[in-house]
Amino acid sequence: MSDWLPTSDTSSGHPNGQNGDSRSPNPSPNTGRCIYGFVLFLVSILMFLLYFLYAIITTQVFQSIGLTYFERKYWSLAIPTQILVSIVMFAVCLYPSVNYLFTPSLNHCNTLFDSNTRNTSSVKTSSMDTMETKEEKSHRKAIPPIQDLKPDFVSQQLYLN
């Protein structure tokens, strides 16, 4: 559990004053992460050096050492190229295509309303006759909370005025 650290504490143990677990994930390095990261770094460097040596050393050198069977040098360039091309094809073609498949059409009701839709509240129109306190005036001048406008209201404002 060394990946968890306590957050700022209040009297109840929770930053918001609620009861519950007051610990959050800790992204800072600890001993286990440092060791695994360093070993992974060394292994990746070693594998790259072996690949590089295989790509530049001639077949005669390998045969003089006693290594008689290796793949053709063509594969030392073909496999990484194939991997890069497949990654690019995924990023350019397949990933956007899957996103388009899961996006509802423009005339679907889910593009207009969903579970996060916040309906507009009825705006109170105050007459000039009523006495307003300073607090009410400041609330009237304040920026209203974010709300979703209904499509018929937007169309009316854009095209019928």
Side-chain angles (χ1 to χ4, degrees), residues 1 4 9 21 26 30 44 50 62 67 74 77 92 95 110-111 117 123 133:
M1 282 299 243
W4 294 82
D9 242 354
D21 192 10
N26 179 11
N30 60 22
S44 64
L50 289 175
F62 284 129
L67 299 171
Y74 164 81
L77 294 177
V92 170
Y95 186 70
N110 284 346
T111 58
T117 301
V123 178
T133 63

Side-chain angles (χ1 to χ4, degrees), residues 49-63 65 67-81:
L49 288 176
L50 289 175
Y51 164 76
F52 188 70
L53 288 175
Y54 167 71
I56 62 170
I57 293 178
T58 61
T59 309
Q60 290 81 16
V61 174
F62 284 129
Q63 289 174 351
I65 297 174
L67 299 171
T68 57
Y69 179 75
F70 269 106
E71 292 290 329
R72 290 180 29 210
K73 299 290 182 178
Y74 164 81
W75 294 108
S76 67
L77 294 177
I79 291 175
T81 304

Side-chain angles (χ1 to χ4, degrees), residues 8-117:
S8 61
D9 242 354
T10 61
S11 61
S12 65
H14 195 271
N16 297 334
Q18 303 167 348
N19 291 332
D21 192 10
S22 65
R23 301 184 314 163
S24 63
N26 179 11
S28 65
N30 60 22
T31 308
R33 288 184 189 159
C34 290
I35 293 171
Y36 285 127
F38 185 67
V39 169
L40 184 62
F41 172 73
L42 291 178
V43 167
S44 64
I45 295 282
L46 179 68
M47 294 302 290
F48 177 74
L49 288 176
L50 289 175
Y51 164 76
F52 188 70
L53 288 175
Y54 167 71
I56 62 170
I57 293 178
T58 61
T59 309
Q60 290 81 16
V61 174
F62 284 129
Q63 289 174 351
S64 67
I65 297 174
L67 299 171
T68 57
Y69 179 75
F70 269 106
E71 292 290 329
R72 290 180 29 210
K73 299 290 182 178
Y74 164 81
W75 294 108
S76 67
L77 294 177
I79 291 175
T81 304
Q82 181 64 31
I83 291 171
L84 288 176
V85 166
S86 63
I87 289 172
V88 167
M89 291 299 289
F90 175 78
V92 170
C93 297
L94 189 63
Y95 186 70
S97 301
V98 170
N99 283 334
Y100 285 134
L101 284 175
F102 290 121
T103 303
S105 63
L106 290 176
N107 59 358
H108 195 271
C109 66
N110 284 346
T111 58
L112 301 176
F113 304 106
D114 62 0
S115 61
N116 298 316
T117 301

Side-chain angles (χ1 to χ4, degrees), residues 115-144:
S115 61
N116 298 316
T117 301
R118 297 179 67 186
N119 293 328
T120 57
S121 61
S122 60
V123 178
K124 295 181 180 178
T125 57
S126 62
S127 65
M128 298 304 270
D129 304 348
T130 61
M131 296 293 288
E132 287 183 313
T133 63
K134 288 183 181 179
E135 185 178 321
E136 289 173 347
K137 286 182 182 179
S138 66
H139 284 300
R140 190 167 45 98
K141 292 180 182 178
I143 297 173

